[in-house]
Amino acid sequence: MPSKGKNSWSPNQQNKPDKNQGDPNKKPGMPEGFKFRFSLGYVLIALIAVSFFNYFLFRSDNTVVPYSTFKDKIRTGEIKRVEIDINYYTGYTDARSSEPASPLPATAKPGVVYKTVPVTDPEFTALMDQKGVVYSASPREGSAILSLLLNWVLPFAIMFFLWRTVMSRFMGSNSNVLAFGQNRATVVAEGDIKTRFTDVAGVDEAKAELVEVVDFLKNPQKYTEIGGKIPKGVLLVGPPGTGKTLLARAVAGEANVPFFKMSGAEFVEMFVGVGAARVRDLFKQAREKAPCIIFIDEIDALGKSRMSGMIGGNDEREQTLNQLLVEMDGFDSTSGLILVAATNRPDVLDPALLRPGRFDRQVLVDRPDMIGREEILKIHTKTIKMDPSVDLSKIARSTPGFVGADLANVVNEAALLAVRAGRKKVKEEDFQNAIEKVVAGLEKKNRMINPKEKQIVAVHETGHAITAAFTPGADPVRKISIVPRGFGALGYTLQMPLEDRYLVTKEELLGQIDVLLGGRAAEELVFHSISTGAANDIARSTDIARRMITDYGMSEKFRNVALTKRGGSIPGMPQIADPYATKEYSEDTQRYIDEEIASIVDERYKHVQNLLIQKKDMLDRISALLLEKEVIEETEFAALTAELTSPSAAAASSKA
Ligand code: ADP
Ligand code: MG
Ligand code: ZN
């Protein structure tokens, strides 16, 4: 805590709550780990509660008189009945309630009551006998039990409550410490699931695979008769938001079987053994409910390769994973139990999970293609009032790379924008604006940028756009904007591919680097200085260059050699940057890679600089226009580049 600069502590400083001295991001009053002050507060409250309780219970309604006075009252015959109790002698001035057939309940207040604290006095009973006082030594049972409760049970209860509160705070979760080994309330089977395959679109291959699973759950005998083996586990693999969770629910819905859902992270607990017990319990419950589906979402949290990751590993996770493997081996595929799991990190999964007899069927849930996107849009626009002129296929065409969750988001945003514009129906332009919004984050028109910065941003973005326009194979520029959006992006150049792409050539990769470098090159050319605005571009272009060398085997020295190894990756699955990817090369090679990256980037930068020098006039004109209009659309940009291209260059770039 560097802010704690003062070493002298004045007394009143000590008493102040320390919320201003700690981490400024922390919520005031939140305990930092185990904080003594925190539990002390609870103890105090408990103490006050106990004494309050005590006070009310043992408060005498009557004044306690001295013992001598009490004895006098017996002597004078005023007290006719005495109840002897552990703590008090209680004298009553009438004897009514002592009779067995008394109409009054014992609790009723009969006559005047005197109380006294007894002293050791052997003559007391003799005196009472002499005076004919009715006396009984039956203590009120209730009070005996109460005092037992207060003296023994309550303190323990309070201690337990405190311990539990502190523990749960300490663990940073609200898990019930006592209930470890048992299931949480969340793992109840969901029955009667409404999701159907028709609610999922654009993932036809995955659906086709899962139809068989549904059929098996519906009529298992069909498969067992013929001796066929049904997979025990189906692993849904794909980028986030492609509908994996949705598909798993649809399987349960179609088959009309109970659905146990749990996420991988929920199995990994504070205490070693808890997750394993939870797995055991989950399978036990599921076996009782079979046929049914167990769905483990984000299984990578649990099934990370036991080798990779942190040093020393994680005992709890390993035990849980082992238990899962044991359970998977333990059940028979004829039992009607099917395990479905989902992950977007198949590369980090423990290979043991993917072995035959476990998750032996892997289903790729990929990003939807254009037709798939249109289908998904149809599903999500069902409940939306749309203008008949809206063309969903056009929207699908302009959203390459969007996953189902993005498209659902677009539809929702479009509806909101229509409402904001006071329309009763959603129009085409609402969709276009929604797409932009989803692509680039929320428009922040009211953010102030100073004019100089704005000028730099305009030149930078125009640099990207012109480089893209004159790079063969680069995606066409759809829009250039210097309206700040989202977090930190001051402007953007929107490029959209004409079609879905699955392969990228080396030339196209270099072209991507060119376009990324175009922003900075333009800045340098116009202002003779460079800014931090290109940080993201630099990071991305460096990454492309690195992967060309290490992953795609595109360098001179290591032609067709992969230099990193990725564990357990599934063919057909898009490569995801993997922090744990192991390096399979020497220090020398590392140096070579670094030098090669630098040389690729440098060469491309020189190329882009040359291109922009040739197009300097165009750069100036378009950036000035962009500064004025803030946004330049695709058609306008194409017209400008065509118009401004000098006759000699026109032949070279006929596409513009
Ligand atoms: P994942 O589990 O793959 O990350 P989800 O299944 O949670 O993705 O998807 C989130 C939401 O996005 C779904 O509830 C649904 O509304 C929408 N969605 C995603 N993919 C699809 C799809 N293929 N078809 C229809 N809707 C989809
Ligand atoms: Mg999910
Ligand atoms: Zn840029």
Side-chain angles (χ1 to χ4, degrees), residues 583-638:
K583 294 187 170 79
E584 303 250 303
Y585 45 77
S586 64
E587 295 274 309
D588 281 347
T589 309
Q590 172 74 62
R591 199 169 306 121
Y592 171 77
I593 291 171
D594 291 341
E595 281 165 7
E596 188 69 11
I597 291 171
S599 112
I600 290 179
V601 172
D602 191 52
E603 190 187 307
R604 296 325 294 173
Y605 190 71
K606 286 200 178 103
H607 167 80
V608 173
Q609 274 180 317
N610 280 332
L611 174 79
L612 289 176
I613 287 169
Q614 283 171 37
K615 309 286 175 200
K616 177 74 172 25
D617 189 40
M618 186 185 290
L619 180 63
D620 290 340
R621 299 266 301 270
I622 296 182
S623 61
L625 187 71
L626 182 61
L627 195 59
E628 186 192 316
K629 295 182 58 172
E630 294 203 329
V631 176
I632 294 179
E633 297 286 349
E634 179 180 10
T635 43
E636 196 177 356
F637 179 71

Side-chain angles (χ1 to χ4, degrees), residues 216 219-231 332-334:
F216 165 72
N219 353 279
Q221 70 287 349
K222 192 167 110 191
Y223 293 84
T224 46
E225 264 168 24
I226 214 165
K229 232 176 98 206
I230 276 290
D332 179 4
S333 65
T334 55

Side-chain angles (χ1 to χ4, degrees), residues 241 244-246 295 297-298 342:
K244 298 181 293 296
T245 309
L246 198 65
F295 177 53
D297 211 349
E298 326 265 330

Side-chain angles (χ1 to χ4, degrees), residues 291-311:
C292 70
I293 288 180
I294 297 180
F295 177 53
I296 304 178
D297 211 349
E298 326 265 330
I299 197 174
D300 40 296
L302 158 69
K304 256 186 218 133
S305 173
R306 280 166 288 190
M307 254 84 87
S308 77
M310 56 220 82
I311 307 140

